[in-house]
Amino acid sequence: PDGSRIAFVSDVTGEEELYLIAQDGSGEPEQLTRGSEGRLNAPAWSPDGDHIAFSDKEGKLYVIDVDNQSKREIADERQGSVFDYTWSPNSGYLAFTLNDPNGFNSVYIYSLADGELHRVTGETFNEFAPAWDPNGDFLYYIADRHYAPQFGSFEFNYVVDRESYIYAVALRSDVEHPFPPQSDEVSIDGDNDGEENGEDEENGAGPIRIDFDGLAERVVRIPVGQGNYGGLSAVEGNLIYVAGTPFVLGASNGQQPAIKIFSMEDREEKTLLDGVGNYALSFDGKKILVAQAGSFSLYDVKADASGSKKAISTRGMMVDRVPAEEWEEVFDEVWRRFRDFFYAENMHGYDWEALREQYRPWLQHVAHRSDLNYVLSEMVAELNVSHAYIQGGDYEIPDRPEVALIGARFELDERAGRYRIAKIYEGDNHEPKYRSPLTEVGVNVSEGDYILAINGEELRAPENIYRMLRNKADHPLVLSVNGRPSMDGAREVTVRPLTSELNLKYYSWVEASRRYVAEATDGRVGYMHLPDMSSDGIQEFIKWFYGQVRKEGLVVDVRGNGGGFVSELIIDRLRREILGTGFSRTFEWPGTYPGTVFYGHMVCLINETSASDGDIFPMAFKQAGLGPLIGVRTWGGVVGYTGQPPLIDGGNAFVPQFGTNDMEGNYVVEGYGVEPDIEVQNTPGSVIAGRDLQLERAVAEVMAAIEADPKRLPDRPADPVKTR
């Protein structure tokens, strides 16, 4: 806290330990902990500099005495790790949050003097981000206490957003209300000598005083509106916090976060910095450090702090790299991550230490980062588990030049020595992701037209058309086209190119499948394909589900599904049961209860590349009894992962951390997949012939179900007569 020393975590011993070093780099580091195993998190100095709090990957929260290096465990988080611990003024207490079984957080206070752990808030509500009042009178925190729902447009359903308020808990029963009733009458400042406060009256030293009896009831809401708040801090006379934005999956919400500052005296909220969603606060509470556009900046803690910006130069921060030393550290780091975070502590029965020693000798043969990734991939593959990915690192590979693409396939007219357009991907210009350049308004190009020149440069065989399109992706293209292989009579069209045609190829395939189902069933059966269980997949579901909700049948295609995390949201909507109908005077079709429910027969298409959450979806589809699974057995990879910090050179190691289990707790699907109810192979011959045998069988099955058990909403009943 006085700026003389830096606390840090290092794995120089082969395990992560806590160290101190002089801030100017002089002298040798002092090792504070020994015998640690696993990742250590976020050392936090007590204000007096006597203690450091830190946590580990097992969820243990520790306090260590800097002088005698004695360490005590003060709490144990049963759901992950603790990160939000913060010291009180004068260092007597540590506040933090722990999880409850319902998934909510609760605020706790640990007393350094007597070693007691006190629960401050209950389990019914979600409270987090504790922050101490510098004067020792209040503990602030954020709680989700705003319950006004936001309704959706496509269905009568709600989402809770901007659900948080900021609260203050009075630490003693004699603390006055922070926002007493205001009056416009003149007041005379009295003499405050002798008033009790949280500190020693003589010199302000010693721990603050807390009355734990009735603590949770002495709560006051800070007079700012509800929001998506986080990063709460308290400085002299002000609160600082981040006002976040709603989360939109796969798109920008058009809003920017901001760091806000609230004056306790003026009761007024102002913006400290716009467009910033995180910060670090100096010990004296006068400066904040933020990351912006790849660099760091320092600001004064005040409203509209942008004018106080001071850039933090990193120009002199240089290091002499020895790649082989980095690779050895990365090897050990990846091994430790799997040891510490792998979902099964028994490492699937393998001797993980023996495997480390088996693969370590290969390090002497590693000559490039890609070699290291190969060695690491082989080592983690021994565990026989999904999602064990090794990616990235310092490859020093130059950027690949982008090629301008126009959403078409070309063929060579050998006789004329010219290229013509063999196919134009139709796309859907309603959506930018499916924009097809040659179908846009004003571009008059057809299949069979010749492309004779690009940006004025004539195109003739054997010139490669894609070479001429290289490095032209960021500007409009001027194409000279003609219905015949001659420049005579050619016309010029301007096209906005793409850098990838994958979305157009995907859309073309989906549209062909949708048309086949519609034509084969006279429009009675709907079709949707879900490419993943992330942003693209749920957007495709939203796009196609509601418009087909009154079909008699539905083919849900998750072949090639790349996984994600939203399968439960889709299953929730598909499994809704109709409980009733309703009629209105001027409405010809009945309404349903609930209002958005599919009432018909469903089938689900799966294949060997239905993966991860794309495995879980058909498992749940089958368990919910929504319909038969058709195709071939899925991938079988359902041990999921979450984000890990980057390795020393920016690479990543994804550790499988979350198993998938049934209601009896048994591990399921992993390593095997989900079996179809009806096995159908798309053979090479059928694919070459342009057929989709799996889709054909899906249509046959759903139509058979419709004929055997028609599910139709009732016609309007006779009007009730209530005269007798």
Side-chain angles (χ1 to χ4, degrees), residues 140-167:
Y140 304 101
Y141 62 86
I142 301 172
D144 295 338
R145 291 276 192 151
H146 182 71
Y147 312 115
Q150 176 179 324
F151 288 103
S153 300
F154 277 35
E155 62 178 74
F156 186 60
N157 208 334
Y158 71 88
V159 64
V160 177
D161 186 54
R162 301 182 69 240
E163 69 277 8
S164 301
Y165 287 111
I166 303 174
Y167 292 88

Side-chain angles (χ1 to χ4, degrees), residues 424-443 496 498 504 507:
I424 295 176
Y425 289 107
E426 57 183 306
D428 182 359
N429 293 332
H430 290 87
E431 297 181 68
K433 67 187 293 185
Y434 297 129
R435 180 178 66 85
S436 181
L438 297 184
T439 67
E440 291 195 274
V441 173
V443 180
R496 293 188 301 145
L498 307 168
L504 288 180
Y507 183 86

Side-chain angles (χ1 to χ4, degrees), residues 290-606:
V290 302
Q292 294 172 298
S295 62
F296 294 100
S297 300
L298 202 63
Y299 292 89
D300 293 336
V301 174
K302 64 179 183 179
D304 190 19
S306 57
S308 66
K309 179 179 179 179
K310 178 182 179 182
I312 305 300
S313 174
T314 58
R315 182 176 301 174
M317 297 178 67
M318 308 294 290
V319 64
D320 291 324
R321 289 179 58 244
V322 180
E325 293 177 357
E326 284 192 351
W327 297 336
E328 184 175 5
E329 195 281 334
V330 168
F331 179 90
D332 288 336
E333 171 88 357
V334 170
W335 183 88
R336 288 199 309 270
R337 289 190 183 189
F338 273 78
R339 178 199 64 186
D340 296 341
F341 294 100
F342 193 65
Y343 81 106
E345 190 174 357
N346 74 341
M347 306 304 288
H348 280 180
Y350 292 98
D351 187 334
W352 191 231
E353 290 189 2
L355 284 170
R356 176 187 60 189
E357 299 312 309
Q358 176 182 331
Y359 280 89
R360 186 183 294 280
W362 287 99
L363 283 174
Q364 62 185 305
H365 303 289
V366 169
H368 187 268
R369 188 57 162 82
S370 59
D371 296 341
L372 179 64
N373 281 2
Y374 173 77
V375 172
L376 292 171
S377 296
E378 291 296 302
M379 181 174 70
V380 302
E382 297 277 1
L383 295 174
N384 190 18
V385 69
S386 62
H387 297 100
Y389 305 136
I390 305 295
Q391 293 180 355
D394 195 352
Y395 269 58
E396 299 183 353
I397 294 176
D399 293 335
R400 177 177 292 183
E402 290 188 332
V403 176
L405 302 173
I406 60 174
R409 283 290 166 266
F410 312 108
E411 62 184 7
L412 176 64
D413 181 341
E414 294 187 11
R415 186 172 182 178
R418 295 285 194 175
Y419 293 97
R420 62 187 166 205
I421 299 173
K423 175 182 176 62
I424 295 176
Y425 289 107
E426 57 183 306
D428 182 359
N429 293 332
H430 290 87
E431 297 181 68
K433 67 187 293 185
Y434 297 129
R435 180 178 66 85
S436 181
L438 297 184
T439 67
E440 291 195 274
V441 173
V443 180
N444 183 22
V445 176
S446 304
E447 293 179 357
D449 281 348
Y450 289 84
I451 297 182
L452 305 172
I454 299 174
N455 287 352
E457 182 180 355
E458 193 164 354
L459 172 62
R460 288 182 177 274
E463 177 63 83
N464 187 325
I465 186 172
Y466 291 103
R467 185 201 68 79
M468 292 184 62
L469 292 171
R470 189 173 58 185
N471 295 318
K472 293 183 172 65
D474 56 346
H475 295 290
L477 290 174
V478 178
L479 306 179
S480 299
V481 298
N482 202 346
R484 53 194 180 90
S486 171
M487 289 293 290
D488 187 23
R491 62 191 184 279
E492 289 189 345
V493 296
T494 301
V495 177
R496 293 188 301 145
L498 307 168
T499 57
S500 171
E501 293 172 336
L502 288 178
N503 284 339
L504 288 180
K505 294 177 183 178
Y506 169 75
Y507 183 86
S508 178
W509 176 76
V510 169
E511 271 299 285
S513 299
R514 188 189 62 79
R515 280 196 292 262
Y516 171 82
V517 173
E519 292 168 3
T521 65
D522 292 327
R524 299 168 68 187
V525 176
Y527 170 86
M528 69 171 72
H529 180 264
L530 307 180
D532 60 30
M533 291 297 165
S534 189
S535 56
D536 289 339
I538 199 164
Q539 288 176 16
E540 290 298 307
F541 176 80
I542 293 169
K543 179 169 70 174
W544 291 111
F545 174 67
Y546 296 99
Q548 302 182 103
V549 75
R550 287 295 172 260
K551 298 284 188 182
E552 297 176 61
L554 184 63
V555 177
V556 183
D557 191 347
V558 293
R559 293 176 295 176
N561 186 286
F565 57 96
V566 301
S567 66
E568 61 184 271
L569 304 180
I570 298 173
I571 289 291
D572 179 59
R573 281 155 173 80
L574 293 179
R575 72 180 302 189
R576 287 179 184 163
E577 293 185 15
I578 187 169
L579 300 176
T581 61
F583 290 87
S584 182
R585 175 74 178 267
T586 59
F587 287 62
E588 295 187 18
W589 302 303
T592 60
Y593 185 94
T596 303
V597 58
F598 180 78
Y599 185 57
H601 294 279
M602 287 183 277
V603 298
C604 178
L605 283 173
I606 59 175

